[in-house]
Amino acid sequence: MSNSQPDNQPEVLRFGQALNRALGDAMRADDKVFLMGEDIALAGGPFGVTRKLLDEFGENRVRDYPIAEASMVNLAVGAALGGYKPVVEIMFMDFCTLAMDALVNQAAKAHFMFGEQGPVPLVLRTPHGGGLNAGPQHSQCLEAWFAHIPGLIVVCPSNAADAYGLLRAAINDPNPVVFVENKRLYSAKSDFPADPQPIEIGKARTARAGNDLTIVTYGNTVHLAEQVAKERAEQEIDIEIIDLRSLQPWDESAVLTSLSKTHRLIVLHEATEAFGIGAEIAARMADIGFDELDAPIIRLGAPFMPVPYSVALEAEFGPNADQLNAAIDRLLL
Amino acid sequence: MPASKRSAPTRLLLDLYRTMLRIRRVEERLSALFADGTIPGFIHLSIGQESVPAAITHHLTNSDTVAITHRGHGQALAKGINLDAFLAEMMGRASGICQGRGGSMHIADSSVGMLGANGIVAGGIPIAVGSALAHQLDGEGNIAVPYFGDGAIAEGVFHESLNIASLWNLPCLFVCENNGWGEFSKTDDQFAGNLKKLAATYNMDYQFIDALDVVKLSNLAGRMVKAVRKTSRPAILECKVTRHHGHYEGDPQKYRPEEELNQLGDQDPVSAAYDKLINGGVTAGELTELDQQIQAEIDASVAQAIAADHPQFEQATAGVYA
Ligand SMILES: Cc1ncc(C[n+]2csc(CCOP(=O)(O)OP(=O)(O)O)c2C)c(N)n1
Ligand SMILES: [Mg+2]
């Protein structure tokens, strides 16, 4: 039981539980924070992230929304302009397409376009990612779209502690934040601090220190990188892993610092490789990190195709350990 | 009574019953195949709702088009999708109707007028309206049928679709399978209006029917399909149905009142039709035989799907663009 933990002892928490705790703590700390989403109140959320919050905070602050994403996110913009801090949930990131106008033309623009008359402090939480044979419309990683939009902030945590800290920071932030949760992480357990605090948006975390090669990644592929790095350590290959945590803004200096140490860089993500987050990072590092590079920068992401349904196809969809190992070999052997 | 001497109503009922029973038995098999891990991902079964597609498609040809939902296995089977290719798709095989790329939520068979299933709630509705536009331009008297659930009514695109279908006189029959639930939420808590008033607002015919009686439903659907064909005016048919399983297979349904779950047996169009057939003089033996035929067909289909090859990744990557 979490309650019986002695004070100041770290506990182990599921990713989804950490998000639930962050929402509860944020709502307790600020009565302007409220939640909207499909099946988030009575049913506690399709992935259980909002479980029991209705009981504590009531239906004014934990709202089940009809299946109507476009109005939901636009309502959040309006409520945010009215001084509230809505946290909305889009059940699968794929359905963000239905709320694109709210995010891209409204939330992202209002502060700038209206001459800084008022911020839009909304958070849109949404799960991305495949591996569940959920097919082309329930598996996509679309974060690069949002990172491309001036005015939006995009974060994507990889573990329970970061999930908590980043969600608290996102809710505190005066700007619209797209908060991306990998759906395979919800039940993953990891260490959780006794006194969790907000984590500054835009700051990466060194998930593993190493000297031979840097893997920059975020979300669930942090764990793929860690697993491969552990295996390669047995061959005396010493890999550093930078978990970006924030994608927009991203921690350019942390990546450059690591590159300056290892001189070799792989950017890894589950999202489509072409025109992706990795392209941005690789291009920046090829510019400001040019003198540090001993080898080409390698991007590793999903192939340029929709996420397929069948087990056989999705197993090869990647990125996977074999591909990552091949990239490492290319840089080091 | 010898089969040749049967009344027309009994023959009709037997026909509809066959379609419904086949859907029911396929869904039950899918439930088992999902439970034992043969089918991955997640699937939404239409058990309890079989009468709607059985009755609607009774009046459609292969040139009429349907857009089906995430709960669309019955809608697909009634429209005539090949069972082997359907089951192979559920198992993600190369011989699947979508080459294993789509799965349960994305089955499509254009050869029988299926525009494709949709994982996006309400996503198929405007696509069907566009298909109705194509039918109108072709001028061959074909119609389009978007199926949708009650949860889809809250989506803005549904309202936009009604407007344009009415404005442009498009031959489109909007068919709502109203099971009272959108996932884990009661639709009464989610939608403030009703379809009848919406239909009036958009100046189109509207009919409501309890889908428990498949013959009544079929007669009504027949009249409406005919009217849409003839007048090229859109219409809405709302069918009250009961979802017997969870929202998805594996859904523990904690949100659902026990009373409702206890009454599922009374809300079963397949067993209602069975009783009527027996009362109409069809023998239990004959219906058992029909059931066995269907089960044998499914057995064979499942076996070929399990034995079928898995798709090749290179072939899938090559299939992104036409
Ligand atoms: C745009 C969109 N929003 C949310 C979902 C998640 N979702 C899948 S089915 C469903 C409920 C749909 O209810 P209804 O239309 O009544 O169909 P039923 O499941 O009852 O057949 C929801 C919310 C989705 N697939 N697409
Ligand atoms: Mg429904």
Side-chain angles (χ1 to χ4, degrees):
Chain A
M1 287 290 294
S2 58
N3 306 6
S4 60
Q5 288 281 337
D7 280 352
N8 296 323
Q9 284 296 304
E11 61 179 314
V12 168
L13 213 60
R14 291 186 198 278
F15 187 87
Q17 288 172 316
L19 293 168
N20 179 272
R21 206 176 279 192
L23 291 171
D25 287 352
M27 292 177 83
R28 261 169 242 122
D30 183 348
D31 63 12
K32 295 289 190 193
V33 178
F34 74 97
L35 316 182
M36 297 193 287
E38 292 161 19
D39 285 318
I40 65 152
L42 277 171
F47 295 98
V49 171
T50 49
R51 201 169 280 154
K52 299 223 157 83
L53 296 176
L54 175 66
D55 299 344
E56 180 177 349
F57 298 103
E59 55 189 21
N60 260 346
R61 296 184 68 194
V62 184
R63 291 170 175 261
D64 272 328
Y65 204 89
I67 310 170
E69 293 78 10
S71 69
M72 178 166 74
V73 183
N74 271 305
L75 249 76
V77 174
L81 289 170
Y84 285 83
K85 293 184 176 173
V87 181
V88 296
E89 176 177 307
I90 295 282
M91 196 180 295
F92 286 81
M93 189 169 209
D94 313 69
F95 312 157
C96 283
T97 51
L98 299 159
M100 265 334 226
D101 182 66
L103 283 166
V104 175
N105 287 322
Q106 314 302 339
K109 304 289 191 285
H111 178 71
F112 174 83
M113 179 169 75
F114 298 139
E116 304 186 25
Q117 293 186 54
V120 185
L122 77 81
V123 176
L124 182 142
R125 296 182 33 247
T126 192
H128 77 171
L132 304 176
N133 306 108
Q137 295 177 339
H138 284 73
S139 306
Q140 294 169 87
C141 296
L142 301 173
E143 52 273 13
W145 288 0
F146 301 104
H148 187 67
I149 301 300
L152 295 181
I153 285 172
V154 185
V155 301
C156 184
S158 69
N159 59 58
D162 287 354
Y164 179 95
L166 285 170
L167 186 51
R168 291 300 306 272
I171 294 171
N172 290 340
D173 200 280
N175 298 292
V177 180
V178 176
F179 192 95
V180 187
E181 304 162 5
N182 189 290
K183 54 181 95 87
R184 272 185 296 176
L185 285 178
Y186 281 127
S187 57
K189 290 179 176 170
S190 54
D191 290 344
F192 194 78
D195 181 25
Q197 297 297 321
I199 291 170
E200 190 183 342
I201 288 172
K203 286 274 174 282
R205 171 182 76 96
T206 304
R208 187 181 203 283
N211 289 307
D212 296 337
L213 178 157
T214 300
I215 300 174
V216 173
T217 185
Y218 60 89
N220 195 36
T221 42
V222 170
H223 305 287
L224 172 63
E226 284 175 337
Q227 171 212 321
V228 166
K230 205 167 147 198
E231 287 160 17
R232 300 308 290 253
E234 285 162 24
Q235 302 159 13
E236 320 252 297
I237 295 176
D238 189 18
I239 295 174
E240 177 145 305
I241 300 170
I242 304 292
D243 176 357
L244 282 178
R245 305 198 288 195
S246 295
L247 309 179
Q248 181 59 269
W250 61 279
D251 197 340
E252 202 174 273
S253 77
V255 176
L256 184 60
T257 303
S258 179
L259 176 63
S260 306
K261 181 164 76 162
T262 66
H263 310 291
R264 287 176 173 80
L265 182 60
I266 293 172
V267 196
L268 166 72
H269 50 62
E270 188 180 334
T272 304
E273 186 176 299
F275 292 84
I277 301 282
E280 175 67 20
I281 293 170
R284 275 303 283 163
M285 288 304 133
D287 180 351
I288 61 176
F290 186 75
D291 293 339
E292 300 294 346
L293 281 165
D294 284 351
I297 302 169
I298 296 183
R299 286 178 297 152
L300 187 53
F304 198 59
M305 67 190 284
V307 185
Y309 160 74
S310 99
V311 173
L313 293 178
E314 200 174 13
E316 281 192 58
F317 186 72
N320 55 37
D322 288 347
Q323 292 166 336
L324 184 53
N325 273 312
I328 293 166
D329 291 346
R330 223 185 107 196
L331 289 187
L332 290 175
L333 301 184
Chain B
M1 192 192 311
S4 56
K5 289 248 179 79
R6 265 183 204 136
S7 64
T10 303
R11 285 205 306 273
L12 171 65
L13 178 56
L14 198 54
D15 208 21
L16 294 167
Y17 176 74
R18 184 182 296 113
T19 308
M20 291 198 297
L21 185 67
R22 186 163 173 269
I23 297 171
R24 171 70 54 94
R25 295 296 182 237
V26 170
E27 293 283 52
E28 287 168 348
R29 191 67 63 90
L30 292 176
S31 178
L33 290 166
F34 183 80
D36 75 15
T38 307
I39 293 177
F42 39 88
I43 59 173
H44 311 83
L45 300 188
S46 66
I47 292 179
Q49 308 188 183
E50 298 91 341
S51 57
V52 179
I56 300 291
T57 36
H58 191 73
H59 306 282
L60 302 181
T61 71
N62 276 355
S63 308
D64 295 318
T65 43
V66 299
I68 75 173
T69 67
H70 60 283
R71 201 175 301 290
H73 301 158
Q75 298 154 356
L77 290 164
K79 195 71 173 68
I81 194 171
N82 176 283
L83 187 63
D84 283 353
F86 170 84
L87 285 169
E89 185 63 30
M90 296 295 137
M91 297 181 205
R93 298 304 204 267
S95 57
I97 191 73
C98 305
Q99 304 183 37
R101 298 174 192 171
S104 164
M105 274 188 291
H106 307 292
I107 37 179
D109 182 354
S110 56
S111 72
V112 296
M114 284 182 64
L115 298 165
N118 224 300
I120 302 299
V121 168
I125 299 171
I127 293 171
V129 175
S131 176
L133 172 61
H135 293 322
Q136 186 192 54
L137 293 169
D138 285 344
E140 285 166 12
N142 298 316
I143 74 164
V145 175
Y147 289 101
F148 56 102
D150 40 316
I153 301 170
E155 286 281 11
V157 75
F158 170 61
H159 300 251
E160 297 175 28
S161 298
L162 293 181
N163 181 45
I164 204 68
S166 184
L167 268 181
W168 289 2
N169 294 313
L170 298 178
C172 189
L173 179 61
F174 295 89
V175 176
C176 179
E177 290 187 17
N178 185 346
N179 59 17
W181 293 94
E183 282 198 358
F184 327 122
S185 292
K186 270 196 133 12
T187 297
D188 289 346
D189 300 334
Q190 303 290 308
F191 186 60
N194 65 58
L195 280 178
K196 185 177 181 183
K197 286 184 182 158
L198 270 183
T201 299
Y202 290 110
N203 193 23
M204 56 179 82
D205 184 29
Y206 163 88
Q207 300 293 331
F208 174 87
I209 190 164
D210 187 328
L212 197 53
D213 186 334
V214 70
V215 171
K216 272 195 193 146
L217 171 56
S218 173
N219 291 339
L220 175 60
R223 288 198 299 278
M224 292 185 85
V225 166
K226 206 166 156 191
V228 170
R229 249 189 240 295
K230 200 164 140 219
T231 62
S232 196
R233 286 293 302 161
I236 301 177
L237 173 57
E238 178 174 3
C239 308
K240 179 181 175 292
V241 293
T242 304
R243 191 189 84 200
H244 283 214
H245 280 212
H247 170 62
Y248 54 86
E249 282 301 280
D251 172 7
Q253 301 205 74
K254 284 194 205 122
Y255 53 89
R256 214 163 165 191
E258 201 154 314
E259 197 189 323
E260 189 178 311
L261 289 169
N262 289 337
Q263 286 168 3
L264 293 179
D266 304 333
Q267 301 294 328
D268 181 351
V270 181
S271 65
Y274 180 93
D275 292 347
K276 266 204 180 151
L277 284 166
I278 297 290
N279 288 338
V282 179
T283 64
E286 200 180 329
L287 295 180
T288 305
E289 202 178 307
L290 172 63
D291 205 344
Q292 284 164 350
Q293 279 168 14
I294 288 171
Q295 295 280 20
E297 183 201 8
I298 297 170
D299 286 345
S301 258
V302 167
Q304 66 77 33
I306 288 176
D309 288 339
H310 293 279
Q312 297 294 319
F313 192 72
E314 292 67 31
Q315 206 170 329
T317 45
V320 179
Y321 292 96

